[in-house]
Amino acid sequence: MNGAHTQPAIGGNAGMSSEYLEIRGLRVTFDGFTAVDGVDLTLFQGDLRFLIGPNGAGKTTLVDAVTGLVPATGSVTKSGAELLGRKVHQIARLGVGRTFQTASVFEELTVLQNLDIAAGSGRSPLTMLRRRKTVLPQIEEALETIGLAHLRDRPAGILAHGQKQWLEIGMLLVQDADVLLLDEPVAGMSHDEREETGNLLRRIGAERTVVVVEHDMDFMRAFATSVTVLARGKVIADGSVEEIQADPMVQQVYLGTAAAVDVLEEH
Ligand SMILES: Nc1ncnc2c1ncn2[C@@H]1O[C@H](COP(=O)(O)OP(=O)(O)OP(=O)(O)O)[C@@H](O)[C@H]1O
């Protein structure tokens, strides 16, 4: 970690800005098995919220439910608009975007074309067929933000693993997503790529709400402004990194062994 990092502000701008995503009593059931069990979560603009928990805790299912991929009960509102019951593309249009554990970019298309398609997701098929002659300002901006401006005309297939994840994040930015749910964005990344990704999340997170599902505790400690711990579909703790690390319930449930305490407290 270099010295340029500012200390994460606990809770981001919580309380200072409008509420962005409010999850109440969220429940997802698969054939009688409850994967997400009555989750309440409030996320604010400026919050870089990490969602952690053991394997099978329900983290990805929660993201799937918010983004319309699995049916759920309860309520998820974004700035007052109910998301549950809407289709995936409608939720995306309301500004809620997500990435998957495996980056899903069009490998044969250039970086620019990938961003152009994402930016055009709200356009009609006819206008999509017409190629844009100029690069849209929001695409220029996204290229700079994700650090891929120099690779704009290269096929996405040649990008390094980390760069593909950044391109996916760029695709959410050009779609105007202001709530971003990222599923294990640094899995498989090198140390330097993690550092770059963390800085990218800080840059984009200042004006947005970013939720990061992650297993990497070092990454969480370095970049989280707040943390929610899920276990067996329920929220067992919510707070700053320090509060989460000191929580005996988290130490016990999260990994369940004495070694787990070392993992959580390691610096
Ligand atoms: N489509 C499905 N059908 C049945 N069960 C499912 C389905 N999707 C997830 N589950 C179950 O729901 C539980 C929560 O899974 P989920 O993938 O959300 O956990 P997770 O916290 O993201 O885990 P990991 O950290 O391993 O990715 C698991 O027990 C999983 O087997």
Side-chain angles (χ1 to χ4, degrees):
M1 301 291 133
N2 67 43
H5 290 146
T6 50
Q7 273 303 103
I10 294 161
N13 294 337
M16 287 163 62
S17 58
S18 57
E19 214 165 80
Y20 257 68
L21 201 73
E22 186 167 287
I23 300 175
R24 290 289 173 270
L26 188 71
R27 185 165 273 107
V28 179
T29 306
F30 298 113
D31 295 327
F33 169 73
T34 304
V36 175
D37 193 2
V39 166
D40 293 336
L41 207 55
T42 305
L43 301 161
F44 296 95
Q45 184 184 350
D47 195 4
L48 192 48
R49 174 77 60 106
F50 276 59
L51 188 57
I52 66 168
N55 290 326
K59 305 179 294 293
T60 298
T61 305
L62 185 148
V63 172
D64 288 347
V66 170
T67 51
L69 282 180
V70 295
T73 58
S75 166
V76 179
T77 55
K78 188 201 167 210
S79 308
E82 178 63 52
L83 302 185
L84 291 193
R86 291 187 198 252
K87 299 208 160 49
V88 172
H89 71 273
Q90 293 172 325
I91 294 171
R93 253 180 232 172
L94 284 168
V96 180
R98 58 98 50 90
T99 61
F100 293 86
Q101 285 176 17
T102 313
S104 50
V105 298
F106 298 105
E107 306 249 331
E108 293 79 25
L109 301 182
T110 66
V111 168
L112 195 55
Q113 285 168 331
N114 270 278
L115 291 170
D116 201 38
I117 286 175
S121 57
R123 289 192 287 157
S124 72
L126 198 64
T127 51
M128 284 287 282
L129 283 174
R130 269 187 244 130
R131 292 193 56 175
R132 286 193 234 269
K133 292 194 184 66
T134 53
V135 178
L136 295 173
Q138 68 265 37
I139 294 183
E140 292 280 9
E141 201 183 322
L143 277 168
E144 291 301 325
T145 306
I146 61 176
L148 296 181
H150 62 298
L151 295 170
R152 62 204 285 162
D153 296 320
R154 304 301 306 278
I158 63 115
L159 297 179
H161 171 71
Q163 292 172 325
K164 284 184 188 163
Q165 284 285 348
W166 303 335
L167 176 55
E168 258 209 316
I169 292 171
M171 290 164 77
L172 298 180
L173 298 180
V174 299
Q175 282 168 35
D176 270 341
D178 53 7
V179 174
L180 283 78
L181 305 146
L182 311 177
D183 202 351
E184 298 192 34
V186 300
M189 283 190 186
S190 67
H191 177 270
D192 287 352
E193 285 177 327
R194 277 161 209 246
E195 187 82 7
E196 285 287 315
T197 305
N199 290 329
L200 169 61
L201 298 185
R202 282 225 179 115
R203 284 200 299 279
I204 64 175
E207 294 162 2
R208 299 177 182 84
T209 304
V210 180
V211 179
V212 182
V213 173
E214 199 45 77
H215 281 288
D216 185 323
M217 294 296 134
D218 285 334
F219 185 64
M220 175 202 80
R221 272 191 287 271
F223 294 103
T225 56
S226 62
V227 185
T228 295
V229 187
L230 268 191
R232 295 201 188 93
K234 292 184 195 292
V235 173
I236 61 156
D238 227 338
S240 66
V241 172
E242 292 73 21
E243 285 165 347
I244 293 302
Q245 290 183 160
D247 189 320
M249 176 98 146
V250 176
Q251 293 173 354
Q252 197 189 359
V253 178
Y254 184 59
L255 291 169
T257 64
V261 179
D262 295 338
V263 172
L264 283 164
E265 288 182 344
E266 196 177 82
H267 284 280

